[in-house]
Amino acid sequence: MTAITQEPPQSEEPQTPADAREEVPATGDAALMSKTEKTLHQQPTADKTAASKANEDEDDALTFDADKQVLRLSQHTSRTYRAFQTLLATVFATLIIILPLALLLGFVYIWWLRIPICAYMAFCFVDPAIDNGIGRQVERVRRLWVWKHINAYFRVRMVVEQKLDPAHNYVFGVSPHGILCFTGQILMASQHSGIDDALEGITFHTAALHHVMKVPLFREYLLAIGVISSSRNSIRRCLARGNGHSVGIIIGGAKESLYTNRGSRKLILKNRKGFVREAIMAGAPLVPVFVFGENDIFQQLDHPLLRRVQRWLQHRMKFAIPVFYGRFGFFVPRRTSPTVIFGRPIFVQKSESPSFDEINKAHAAYLAELHRIYNKYRPVYDPEGDDLTII
């Protein structure tokens, strides 16, 4: 049977550079749970009143913000500069539309590009980098000047409940999906985001839908920031590399994107257990991750007929096409401050052929930890959000 624990055996507290973190105060809603709350951890629907009384233990969670330059830019009051930020953020949010459209226009209006474009599009379907487990990461892309301005628009913060040992490979289960996982893109794509400090020594790869990794030009951007395919082969190759190579899986996938709305906290997790199986097969600890604010970036257009068409497409083509809007009724993302909470790792015993019982136990432990971090940090980062609903 799979052994499941919440903390790895260790002889001393892990250390993190002092200039890369600040301790979360050990009072109020951000305090760690006492023994009473640890019991509630096994019951995600436990009474919040009882949980709020469990504030005795010292909180050793660490917070990580973007670098000082980004923080300074985020406080800029110039209307011209803030409009420039908004423009960059809008282009970033619509890259999946802009890049393939640019290629299409080149094919239509520039005749001598037609053969090279056709050859390139054929290559998109056979490129081995899609399933190699590491992508085609280009550090120069992460150093581009535009990222500090996009970071300043969104102001992503990370809270790490327990310093992660880079000797392990991890499977990060990320929720919610949002429209296009913008927070994950910002963290991975930019050296200004602070993720290199928060996950020091760990190489984080986000897994994207296999079909998305074939979208012309947009795929080049994803590969450059280290995104890999969500196929089994790709995930297994990533975890087999060792040396801290870890994968972040947005578990709800395309189906969950259709529930993206401000205040909505519905997650497609009840029967999603493939990521648990892959973690057990690799002996990789599971780390629940919840992103407060991801669902607040855009609002979806909700109409019964439209929803039926979306669900049909999702069922037939395995991806969803959400119809969304932001500021001014267009594709302008809302100026939000997402907060990414990394829960405590759930250690599992490696098994090449895990049983249903082993998978179910690890999955239940994952859901319990996800509920715990959501209920703990919601009063601070999402006081108006709905209760977490697992479907």
Side-chain angles (χ1 to χ4, degrees), residues 1-5 169-172 235-236 239 247 249 273-287 346-366:
M1 300 199 46
T2 302
I4 302 172
T5 59
N169 305 93
Y170 297 90
V171 173
F172 296 88
I235 292 172
R236 291 173 184 177
L239 296 175
V247 59
I249 303 175
K273 301 178 182 180
F275 73 103
V276 177
R277 180 195 63 240
E278 296 303 322
I280 295 175
M281 291 178 66
L286 285 162
V287 181
I346 300 167
F347 284 74
V348 297
Q349 183 177 336
K350 184 175 181 178
S351 172
E352 293 184 0
S353 182
S355 66
F356 287 114
D357 184 57
E358 291 172 325
I359 293 172
N360 289 337
K361 285 186 176 180
H363 185 260
Y366 171 86

mmCIF file of all heavy atoms in Angstrom, residues 1-5 169-172 235-236 239 247 249 273-287 346-366:
data_model
loop_
_atom_site.group_PDB
_atom_site.id
_atom_site.type_symbol
_atom_site.label_atom_id
_atom_site.label_comp_id
_atom_site.label_asym_id
_atom_site.label_seq_id
_atom_site.Cartn_x
_atom_site.Cartn_y
_atom_site.Cartn_z
ATOM 1 N N MET A 1 0.842 -1.193 0.000
ATOM 2 C CA MET A 1 0.000 0.000 0.000
ATOM 3 C C MET A 1 0.878 1.244 0.000
ATOM 4 O O MET A 1 1.966 1.247 0.543
ATOM 5 C CB MET A 1 -0.925 0.001 1.224
ATOM 6 C CG MET A 1 -1.823 -1.223 1.214
ATOM 7 S SD MET A 1 -3.271 -1.104 2.235
ATOM 8 C CE MET A 1 -3.913 0.470 1.878
ATOM 9 N N THR A 2 0.367 2.310 -0.528
ATOM 10 C CA THR A 2 1.146 3.537 -0.621
ATOM 11 C C THR A 2 1.178 4.258 0.704
ATOM 12 O O THR A 2 0.148 4.526 1.303
ATOM 13 C CB THR A 2 0.531 4.467 -1.682
ATOM 14 O OG1 THR A 2 0.509 3.769 -2.906
ATOM 15 C CG2 THR A 2 1.343 5.726 -1.822
ATOM 16 N N ALA A 3 2.365 4.598 1.162
ATOM 17 C CA ALA A 3 2.485 5.365 2.400
ATOM 18 C C ALA A 3 2.349 6.835 2.079
ATOM 19 O O ALA A 3 3.019 7.338 1.188
ATOM 20 C CB ALA A 3 3.845 5.093 3.049
ATOM 21 N N ILE A 4 1.486 7.542 2.790
ATOM 22 C CA ILE A 4 1.222 8.954 2.514
ATOM 23 C C ILE A 4 1.508 9.757 3.758
ATOM 24 O O ILE A 4 0.949 9.509 4.822
ATOM 25 C CB ILE A 4 -0.236 9.179 2.103
ATOM 26 C CG1 ILE A 4 -0.548 8.330 0.876
ATOM 27 C CG2 ILE A 4 -0.512 10.628 1.824
ATOM 28 C CD1 ILE A 4 -1.995 8.344 0.507
ATOM 29 N N THR A 5 2.387 10.702 3.667
ATOM 30 C CA THR A 5 2.693 11.583 4.790
ATOM 31 C C THR A 5 2.665 13.005 4.310
ATOM 32 O O THR A 5 2.766 13.278 3.124
ATOM 33 C CB THR A 5 4.084 11.270 5.392
ATOM 34 O OG1 THR A 5 5.054 11.422 4.380
ATOM 35 C CG2 THR A 5 4.126 9.847 5.944
ATOM 36 N N ASN A 169 11.814 15.283 -7.268
ATOM 37 C CA ASN A 169 10.972 15.765 -8.358
ATOM 38 C C ASN A 169 9.555 15.866 -7.811
ATOM 39 O O ASN A 169 9.151 15.045 -6.991
ATOM 40 C CB ASN A 169 10.993 14.793 -9.534
ATOM 41 C CG ASN A 169 12.406 14.513 -10.013
ATOM 42 O OD1 ASN A 169 13.028 13.565 -9.571
ATOM 43 N ND2 ASN A 169 12.905 15.343 -10.894
ATOM 44 N N TYR A 170 8.802 16.859 -8.245
ATOM 45 C CA TYR A 170 7.463 17.073 -7.697
ATOM 46 C C TYR A 170 6.433 17.096 -8.814
ATOM 47 O O TYR A 170 6.728 17.466 -9.960
ATOM 48 C CB TYR A 170 7.398 18.396 -6.926
ATOM 49 C CG TYR A 170 8.310 18.455 -5.723
ATOM 50 C CD1 TYR A 170 9.622 18.915 -5.836
ATOM 51 C CD2 TYR A 170 7.853 18.047 -4.470
ATOM 52 C CE1 TYR A 170 10.461 18.972 -4.736
ATOM 53 C CE2 TYR A 170 8.683 18.098 -3.357
ATOM 54 C CZ TYR A 170 9.986 18.561 -3.499
ATOM 55 O OH TYR A 170 10.816 18.596 -2.397
ATOM 56 N N VAL A 171 5.216 16.715 -8.452
ATOM 57 C CA VAL A 171 4.062 16.914 -9.324
ATOM 58 C C VAL A 171 3.188 17.965 -8.652
ATOM 59 O O VAL A 171 2.612 17.719 -7.587
ATOM 60 C CB VAL A 171 3.268 15.612 -9.535
ATOM 61 C CG1 VAL A 171 1.973 15.911 -10.309
ATOM 62 C CG2 VAL A 171 4.102 14.587 -10.293
ATOM 63 N N PHE A 172 3.129 19.145 -9.250
ATOM 64 C CA PHE A 172 2.323 20.243 -8.724
ATOM 65 C C PHE A 172 0.940 20.176 -9.370
ATOM 66 O O PHE A 172 0.814 20.278 -10.596
ATOM 67 C CB PHE A 172 2.967 21.594 -9.036
ATOM 68 C CG PHE A 172 4.294 21.818 -8.375
ATOM 69 C CD1 PHE A 172 5.474 21.414 -8.989
ATOM 70 C CD2 PHE A 172 4.376 22.439 -7.141
ATOM 71 C CE1 PHE A 172 6.707 21.613 -8.392
ATOM 72 C CE2 PHE A 172 5.602 22.651 -6.527
ATOM 73 C CZ PHE A 172 6.771 22.242 -7.150
ATOM 74 N N ILE A 235 5.229 13.834 -19.521
ATOM 75 C CA ILE A 235 5.302 13.970 -18.066
ATOM 76 C C ILE A 235 6.288 12.966 -17.477
ATOM 77 O O ILE A 235 7.095 13.308 -16.591
ATOM 78 C CB ILE A 235 3.900 13.804 -17.457
ATOM 79 C CG1 ILE A 235 3.010 14.994 -17.845
ATOM 80 C CG2 ILE A 235 3.977 13.663 -15.935
ATOM 81 C CD1 ILE A 235 1.563 14.824 -17.459
ATOM 82 N N ARG A 236 6.252 11.735 -17.961
ATOM 83 C CA ARG A 236 7.164 10.719 -17.437
ATOM 84 C C ARG A 236 8.618 11.033 -17.772
ATOM 85 O O ARG A 236 9.511 10.804 -16.953
ATOM 86 C CB ARG A 236 6.760 9.345 -17.985
ATOM 87 C CG ARG A 236 5.438 8.857 -17.410
ATOM 88 C CD ARG A 236 4.932 7.578 -18.063
ATOM 89 N NE ARG A 236 3.619 7.226 -17.526
ATOM 90 C CZ ARG A 236 2.892 6.197 -17.945
ATOM 91 N NH1 ARG A 236 3.346 5.416 -18.915
ATOM 92 N NH2 ARG A 236 1.711 5.948 -17.399
ATOM 93 N N LEU A 239 9.789 13.818 -15.308
ATOM 94 C CA LEU A 239 10.053 13.354 -13.945
ATOM 95 C C LEU A 239 11.237 12.401 -13.892
ATOM 96 O O LEU A 239 11.914 12.298 -12.858
ATOM 97 C CB LEU A 239 8.803 12.672 -13.388
ATOM 98 C CG LEU A 239 7.574 13.581 -13.214
ATOM 99 C CD1 LEU A 239 6.367 12.768 -12.772
ATOM 100 C CD2 LEU A 239 7.853 14.696 -12.214
ATOM 101 N N VAL A 247 6.860 18.937 -12.684
ATOM 102 C CA VAL A 247 5.825 19.297 -13.642
ATOM 103 C C VAL A 247 4.616 19.873 -12.912
ATOM 104 O O VAL A 247 4.206 19.373 -11.866
ATOM 105 C CB VAL A 247 5.419 18.076 -14.500
ATOM 106 C CG1 VAL A 247 4.910 16.938 -13.633
ATOM 107 C CG2 VAL A 247 4.386 18.442 -15.555
ATOM 108 N N ILE A 249 0.692 20.522 -13.343
ATOM 109 C CA ILE A 249 -0.439 20.084 -14.153
ATOM 110 C C ILE A 249 -1.682 20.852 -13.739
ATOM 111 O O ILE A 249 -2.072 20.814 -12.563
ATOM 112 C CB ILE A 249 -0.673 18.569 -13.998
ATOM 113 C CG1 ILE A 249 0.595 17.785 -14.367
ATOM 114 C CG2 ILE A 249 -1.852 18.113 -14.851
ATOM 115 C CD1 ILE A 249 0.497 16.298 -14.120
ATOM 116 N N LYS A 273 -7.641 11.676 -11.647
ATOM 117 C CA LYS A 273 -6.655 10.973 -10.815
ATOM 118 C C LYS A 273 -5.407 10.542 -11.585
ATOM 119 O O LYS A 273 -4.511 9.935 -11.006
ATOM 120 C CB LYS A 273 -7.314 9.747 -10.170
ATOM 121 C CG LYS A 273 -8.514 10.099 -9.293
ATOM 122 C CD LYS A 273 -9.177 8.872 -8.702
ATOM 123 C CE LYS A 273 -10.413 9.272 -7.880
ATOM 124 N NZ LYS A 273 -11.090 8.086 -7.297
ATOM 125 N N GLY A 274 -5.351 10.883 -12.861
ATOM 126 C CA GLY A 274 -4.186 10.510 -13.658
ATOM 127 C C GLY A 274 -2.904 11.126 -13.135
ATOM 128 O O GLY A 274 -1.843 10.488 -13.132
ATOM 129 N N PHE A 275 -2.974 12.364 -12.655
ATOM 130 C CA PHE A 275 -1.772 13.028 -12.143
ATOM 131 C C PHE A 275 -1.264 12.334 -10.887
ATOM 132 O O PHE A 275 -0.055 12.299 -10.616
ATOM 133 C CB PHE A 275 -2.062 14.510 -11.874
ATOM 134 C CG PHE A 275 -2.915 14.794 -10.673
ATOM 135 C CD1 PHE A 275 -2.343 15.252 -9.496
ATOM 136 C CD2 PHE A 275 -4.293 14.621 -10.718
ATOM 137 C CE1 PHE A 275 -3.126 15.530 -8.386
ATOM 138 C CE2 PHE A 275 -5.083 14.900 -9.621
ATOM 139 C CZ PHE A 275 -4.503 15.351 -8.444
ATOM 140 N N VAL A 276 -2.184 11.757 -10.101
ATOM 141 C CA VAL A 276 -1.788 11.015 -8.900
ATOM 142 C C VAL A 276 -1.063 9.731 -9.298
ATOM 143 O O VAL A 276 -0.035 9.370 -8.717
ATOM 144 C CB VAL A 276 -3.020 10.692 -8.029
ATOM 145 C CG1 VAL A 276 -2.612 9.866 -6.813
ATOM 146 C CG2 VAL A 276 -3.714 11.978 -7.593
ATOM 147 N N ARG A 277 -1.603 9.048 -10.297
ATOM 148 C CA ARG A 277 -0.962 7.830 -10.782
ATOM 149 C C ARG A 277 0.464 8.121 -11.253
ATOM 150 O O ARG A 277 1.406 7.378 -10.912
ATOM 151 C CB ARG A 277 -1.778 7.233 -11.927
ATOM 152 C CG ARG A 277 -1.187 5.940 -12.498
ATOM 153 C CD ARG A 277 -1.785 5.569 -13.849
ATOM 154 N NE ARG A 277 -1.500 6.575 -14.854
ATOM 155 C CZ ARG A 277 -2.430 7.248 -15.513
ATOM 156 N NH1 ARG A 277 -3.707 7.038 -15.276
ATOM 157 N NH2 ARG A 277 -2.089 8.151 -16.419
ATOM 158 N N GLU A 278 0.645 9.207 -12.013
ATOM 159 C CA GLU A 278 1.978 9.541 -12.511
ATOM 160 C C GLU A 278 2.931 9.881 -11.366
ATOM 161 O O GLU A 278 4.123 9.536 -11.418
ATOM 162 C CB GLU A 278 1.894 10.711 -13.492
ATOM 163 C CG GLU A 278 1.102 10.423 -14.750
ATOM 164 C CD GLU A 278 1.623 9.222 -15.525
ATOM 165 O OE1 GLU A 278 2.853 9.048 -15.594
ATOM 166 O OE2 GLU A 278 0.801 8.460 -16.060
ATOM 167 N N ALA A 279 2.424 10.539 -10.326
ATOM 168 C CA ALA A 279 3.258 10.876 -9.174
ATOM 169 C C ALA A 279 3.722 9.610 -8.452
ATOM 170 O O ALA A 279 4.896 9.491 -8.076
ATOM 171 C CB ALA A 279 2.493 11.780 -8.215
ATOM 172 N N ILE A 280 2.818 8.660 -8.263
ATOM 173 C CA ILE A 280 3.170 7.417 -7.578
ATOM 174 C C ILE A 280 4.156 6.610 -8.423
ATOM 175 O O ILE A 280 5.139 6.053 -7.907
ATOM 176 C CB ILE A 280 1.907 6.586 -7.272
ATOM 177 C CG1 ILE A 280 1.014 7.332 -6.276
ATOM 178 C CG2 ILE A 280 2.283 5.222 -6.714
ATOM 179 C CD1 ILE A 280 -0.319 6.644 -6.005
ATOM 180 N N MET A 281 3.933 6.540 -9.709
ATOM 181 C CA MET A 281 4.833 5.776 -10.582
ATOM 182 C C MET A 281 6.248 6.355 -10.575
ATOM 183 O O MET A 281 7.227 5.616 -10.720
ATOM 184 C CB MET A 281 4.280 5.741 -12.003
ATOM 185 C CG MET A 281 3.003 4.917 -12.147
ATOM 186 S SD MET A 281 2.330 4.926 -13.841
ATOM 187 C CE MET A 281 3.621 4.064 -14.724
ATOM 188 N N ALA A 282 6.353 7.676 -10.415
ATOM 189 C CA ALA A 282 7.667 8.325 -10.382
ATOM 190 C C ALA A 282 8.212 8.477 -8.970
ATOM 191 O O ALA A 282 9.369 8.882 -8.799
ATOM 192 C CB ALA A 282 7.581 9.697 -11.052
ATOM 193 N N GLY A 283 7.377 8.184 -7.955
ATOM 194 C CA GLY A 283 7.799 8.415 -6.574
ATOM 195 C C GLY A 283 7.950 9.890 -6.277
ATOM 196 O O GLY A 283 8.756 10.294 -5.423
ATOM 197 N N ALA A 284 7.184 10.730 -6.969
ATOM 198 C CA ALA A 284 7.295 12.186 -6.837
ATOM 199 C C ALA A 284 6.237 12.712 -5.872
ATOM 200 O O ALA A 284 5.052 12.386 -6.028
ATOM 201 C CB ALA A 284 7.128 12.862 -8.202
ATOM 202 N N PRO A 285 6.602 13.523 -4.887
ATOM 203 C CA PRO A 285 5.611 14.102 -3.974
ATOM 204 C C PRO A 285 4.608 14.976 -4.722
ATOM 205 O O PRO A 285 4.945 15.646 -5.697
ATOM 206 C CB PRO A 285 6.464 14.945 -3.011
ATOM 207 C CG PRO A 285 7.839 14.383 -3.114
ATOM 208 C CD PRO A 285 7.980 13.902 -4.524
ATOM 209 N N LEU A 286 3.362 14.943 -4.248
ATOM 210 C CA LEU A 286 2.302 15.782 -4.792
ATOM 211 C C LEU A 286 2.251 17.097 -4.025
ATOM 212 O O LEU A 286 2.271 17.101 -2.791
ATOM 213 C CB LEU A 286 0.950 15.075 -4.653
ATOM 214 C CG LEU A 286 0.650 13.931 -5.618
ATOM 215 C CD1 LEU A 286 -0.488 13.070 -5.059
ATOM 216 C CD2 LEU A 286 0.266 14.475 -6.983
ATOM 217 N N VAL A 287 2.168 18.202 -4.738
ATOM 218 C CA VAL A 287 2.081 19.515 -4.097
ATOM 219 C C VAL A 287 0.823 20.224 -4.594
ATOM 220 O O VAL A 287 0.755 20.629 -5.761
ATOM 221 C CB VAL A 287 3.315 20.386 -4.392
ATOM 222 C CG1 VAL A 287 3.189 21.740 -3.690
ATOM 223 C CG2 VAL A 287 4.595 19.682 -3.957
ATOM 224 N N ILE A 346 2.872 16.082 -0.355
ATOM 225 C CA ILE A 346 2.317 14.808 0.091
ATOM 226 C C ILE A 346 3.206 13.714 -0.488
ATOM 227 O O ILE A 346 3.219 13.479 -1.691
ATOM 228 C CB ILE A 346 0.869 14.635 -0.400
ATOM 229 C CG1 ILE A 346 -0.006 15.761 0.149
ATOM 230 C CG2 ILE A 346 0.308 13.276 0.008
ATOM 231 C CD1 ILE A 346 -1.360 15.855 -0.520
ATOM 232 N N PHE A 347 3.978 13.070 0.361
ATOM 233 C CA PHE A 347 4.939 12.076 -0.084
ATOM 234 C C PHE A 347 4.255 10.731 -0.295
ATOM 235 O O PHE A 347 3.420 10.307 0.509
ATOM 236 C CB PHE A 347 6.081 11.954 0.923
ATOM 237 C CG PHE A 347 7.049 13.092 0.828
ATOM 238 C CD1 PHE A 347 6.717 14.348 1.319
ATOM 239 C CD2 PHE A 347 8.276 12.937 0.215
ATOM 240 C CE1 PHE A 347 7.589 15.414 1.208
ATOM 241 C CE2 PHE A 347 9.158 13.995 0.099
ATOM 242 C CZ PHE A 347 8.815 15.242 0.595
ATOM 243 N N VAL A 348 4.603 10.085 -1.395
ATOM 244 C CA VAL A 348 4.009 8.792 -1.745
ATOM 245 C C VAL A 348 5.123 7.784 -1.989
ATOM 246 O O VAL A 348 6.246 8.136 -2.357
ATOM 247 C CB VAL A 348 3.116 8.903 -3.002
ATOM 248 C CG1 VAL A 348 1.944 9.828 -2.761
ATOM 249 C CG2 VAL A 348 3.928 9.397 -4.208
ATOM 250 N N GLN A 349 4.799 6.532 -1.775
ATOM 251 C CA GLN A 349 5.757 5.462 -2.029
ATOM 252 C C GLN A 349 5.719 5.091 -3.496
ATOM 253 O O GLN A 349 4.655 4.876 -4.078
ATOM 254 C CB GLN A 349 5.414 4.240 -1.173
ATOM 255 C CG GLN A 349 6.407 3.090 -1.322
ATOM 256 C CD GLN A 349 6.066 1.929 -0.414
ATOM 257 O OE1 GLN A 349 5.404 2.109 0.602
ATOM 258 N NE2 GLN A 349 6.495 0.739 -0.786
ATOM 259 N N LYS A 350 6.900 4.995 -4.112
ATOM 260 C CA LYS A 350 6.992 4.706 -5.533
ATOM 261 C C LYS A 350 6.463 3.318 -5.842
ATOM 262 O O LYS A 350 6.752 2.343 -5.137
ATOM 263 C CB LYS A 350 8.444 4.822 -6.001
ATOM 264 C CG LYS A 350 8.625 4.639 -7.506
ATOM 265 C CD LYS A 350 10.067 4.888 -7.917
ATOM 266 C CE LYS A 350 10.231 4.719 -9.421
ATOM 267 N NZ LYS A 350 11.620 4.999 -9.854
ATOM 268 N N SER A 351 5.672 3.229 -6.892
ATOM 269 C CA SER A 351 5.132 1.945 -7.339
ATOM 270 C C SER A 351 4.948 2.002 -8.850
ATOM 271 O O SER A 351 4.295 2.916 -9.361
ATOM 272 C CB SER A 351 3.784 1.646 -6.660
ATOM 273 O OG SER A 351 3.182 0.496 -7.222
ATOM 274 N N GLU A 352 5.526 1.056 -9.561
ATOM 275 C CA GLU A 352 5.428 1.065 -11.014
ATOM 276 C C GLU A 352 4.033 0.729 -11.506
ATOM 277 O O GLU A 352 3.661 1.076 -12.626
ATOM 278 C CB GLU A 352 6.442 0.086 -11.602
ATOM 279 C CG GLU A 352 7.886 0.519 -11.390
ATOM 280 C CD GLU A 352 8.865 -0.413 -12.061
ATOM 281 O OE1 GLU A 352 8.409 -1.398 -12.692
ATOM 282 O OE2 GLU A 352 10.077 -0.153 -11.975
ATOM 283 N N SER A 353 3.257 0.046 -10.660
ATOM 284 C CA SER A 353 1.889 -0.316 -11.033
ATOM 285 C C SER A 353 0.970 -0.097 -9.828
ATOM 286 O O SER A 353 0.562 -1.047 -9.158
ATOM 287 C CB SER A 353 1.839 -1.772 -11.497
ATOM 288 O OG SER A 353 0.530 -2.112 -11.910
ATOM 289 N N PRO A 354 0.641 1.172 -9.550
ATOM 290 C CA PRO A 354 -0.162 1.462 -8.350
ATOM 291 C C PRO A 354 -1.581 0.919 -8.461
ATOM 292 O O PRO A 354 -2.181 0.907 -9.541
ATOM 293 C CB PRO A 354 -0.167 2.994 -8.302
ATOM 294 C CG PRO A 354 0.091 3.424 -9.705
ATOM 295 C CD PRO A 354 0.987 2.388 -10.292
ATOM 296 N N SER A 355 -2.109 0.458 -7.338
ATOM 297 C CA SER A 355 -3.476 -0.067 -7.302
ATOM 298 C C SER A 355 -4.469 1.095 -7.210
ATOM 299 O O SER A 355 -4.102 2.233 -6.904
ATOM 300 C CB SER A 355 -3.645 -0.987 -6.096
ATOM 301 O OG SER A 355 -3.541 -0.245 -4.889
ATOM 302 N N PHE A 356 -5.754 0.789 -7.446
ATOM 303 C CA PHE A 356 -6.794 1.801 -7.318
ATOM 304 C C PHE A 356 -6.847 2.333 -5.881
ATOM 305 O O PHE A 356 -7.078 3.523 -5.666
ATOM 306 C CB PHE A 356 -8.152 1.224 -7.718
ATOM 307 C CG PHE A 356 -8.310 1.005 -9.192
ATOM 308 C CD1 PHE A 356 -8.432 -0.278 -9.710
ATOM 309 C CD2 PHE A 356 -8.319 2.073 -10.073
ATOM 310 C CE1 PHE A 356 -8.573 -0.483 -11.075
ATOM 311 C CE2 PHE A 356 -8.465 1.882 -11.435
ATOM 312 C CZ PHE A 356 -8.584 0.591 -11.949
ATOM 313 N N ASP A 357 -6.635 1.465 -4.930
ATOM 314 C CA ASP A 357 -6.676 1.878 -3.535
ATOM 315 C C ASP A 357 -5.553 2.861 -3.223
ATOM 316 O O ASP A 357 -5.764 3.864 -2.534
ATOM 317 C CB ASP A 357 -6.566 0.645 -2.628
ATOM 318 C CG ASP A 357 -6.711 1.002 -1.156
ATOM 319 O OD1 ASP A 357 -7.746 1.599 -0.793
ATOM 320 O OD2 ASP A 357 -5.794 0.693 -0.365
ATOM 321 N N GLU A 358 -4.367 2.600 -3.741
ATOM 322 C CA GLU A 358 -3.237 3.497 -3.528
ATOM 323 C C GLU A 358 -3.499 4.866 -4.162
ATOM 324 O O GLU A 358 -3.236 5.916 -3.551
ATOM 325 C CB GLU A 358 -1.972 2.888 -4.125
ATOM 326 C CG GLU A 358 -1.468 1.653 -3.394
ATOM 327 C CD GLU A 358 -0.326 0.982 -4.126
ATOM 328 O OE1 GLU A 358 -0.327 0.977 -5.368
ATOM 329 O OE2 GLU A 358 0.567 0.461 -3.444
ATOM 330 N N ILE A 359 -4.026 4.852 -5.372
ATOM 331 C CA ILE A 359 -4.318 6.108 -6.075
ATOM 332 C C ILE A 359 -5.400 6.891 -5.339
ATOM 333 O O ILE A 359 -5.288 8.106 -5.149
ATOM 334 C CB ILE A 359 -4.737 5.821 -7.526
ATOM 335 C CG1 ILE A 359 -3.552 5.251 -8.315
ATOM 336 C CG2 ILE A 359 -5.265 7.087 -8.202
ATOM 337 C CD1 ILE A 359 -3.910 4.763 -9.711
ATOM 338 N N ASN A 360 -6.459 6.195 -4.906
ATOM 339 C CA ASN A 360 -7.564 6.870 -4.219
ATOM 340 C C ASN A 360 -7.119 7.490 -2.902
ATOM 341 O O ASN A 360 -7.564 8.593 -2.548
ATOM 342 C CB ASN A 360 -8.711 5.892 -3.979
ATOM 343 C CG ASN A 360 -9.442 5.518 -5.262
ATOM 344 O OD1 ASN A 360 -9.407 6.261 -6.242
ATOM 345 N ND2 ASN A 360 -10.089 4.362 -5.262
ATOM 346 N N LYS A 361 -6.259 6.803 -2.157
ATOM 347 C CA LYS A 361 -5.790 7.352 -0.886
ATOM 348 C C LYS A 361 -4.945 8.606 -1.103
ATOM 349 O O LYS A 361 -5.086 9.602 -0.380
ATOM 350 C CB LYS A 361 -4.994 6.298 -0.122
ATOM 351 C CG LYS A 361 -5.861 5.218 0.514
ATOM 352 C CD LYS A 361 -5.025 4.290 1.383
ATOM 353 C CE LYS A 361 -5.918 3.278 2.090
ATOM 354 N NZ LYS A 361 -5.123 2.357 2.955
ATOM 355 N N ALA A 362 -4.061 8.560 -2.079
ATOM 356 C CA ALA A 362 -3.235 9.738 -2.373
ATOM 357 C C ALA A 362 -4.096 10.889 -2.889
ATOM 358 O O ALA A 362 -3.869 12.057 -2.555
ATOM 359 C CB ALA A 362 -2.153 9.378 -3.391
ATOM 360 N N HIS A 363 -5.094 10.570 -3.715
ATOM 361 C CA HIS A 363 -6.002 11.588 -4.243
ATOM 362 C C HIS A 363 -6.793 12.246 -3.117
ATOM 363 O O HIS A 363 -6.963 13.475 -3.091
ATOM 364 C CB HIS A 363 -6.943 10.949 -5.258
ATOM 365 C CG HIS A 363 -7.846 11.909 -5.955
ATOM 366 N ND1 HIS A 363 -9.163 12.108 -5.597
ATOM 367 C CD2 HIS A 363 -7.616 12.750 -7.008
ATOM 368 C CE1 HIS A 363 -9.706 13.018 -6.392
ATOM 369 N NE2 HIS A 363 -8.796 13.422 -7.255
ATOM 370 N N ALA A 364 -7.262 11.452 -2.144
ATOM 371 C CA ALA A 364 -8.004 12.000 -1.006
ATOM 372 C C ALA A 364 -7.114 12.904 -0.167
ATOM 373 O O ALA A 364 -7.552 13.966 0.303
ATOM 374 C CB ALA A 364 -8.566 10.861 -0.151
ATOM 375 N N ALA A 365 -5.862 12.507 0.021
ATOM 376 C CA ALA A 365 -4.929 13.341 0.779
ATOM 377 C C ALA A 365 -4.658 14.656 0.057
ATOM 378 O O ALA A 365 -4.545 15.727 0.679
ATOM 379 C CB ALA A 365 -3.618 12.590 1.018
ATOM 380 N N TYR A 366 -4.565 14.575 -1.279
ATOM 381 C CA TYR A 366 -4.363 15.794 -2.077
ATOM 382 C C TYR A 366 -5.542 16.749 -1.923
ATOM 383 O O TYR A 366 -5.363 17.958 -1.699
ATOM 384 C CB TYR A 366 -4.174 15.414 -3.547
ATOM 385 C CG TYR A 366 -4.184 16.599 -4.472
ATOM 386 C CD1 TYR A 366 -3.025 17.323 -4.716
ATOM 387 C CD2 TYR A 366 -5.368 17.033 -5.078
ATOM 388 C CE1 TYR A 366 -3.039 18.427 -5.540
ATOM 389 C CE2 TYR A 366 -5.393 18.134 -5.906
ATOM 390 C CZ TYR A 366 -4.224 18.826 -6.133
ATOM 391 O OH TYR A 366 -4.249 19.939 -6.933
#
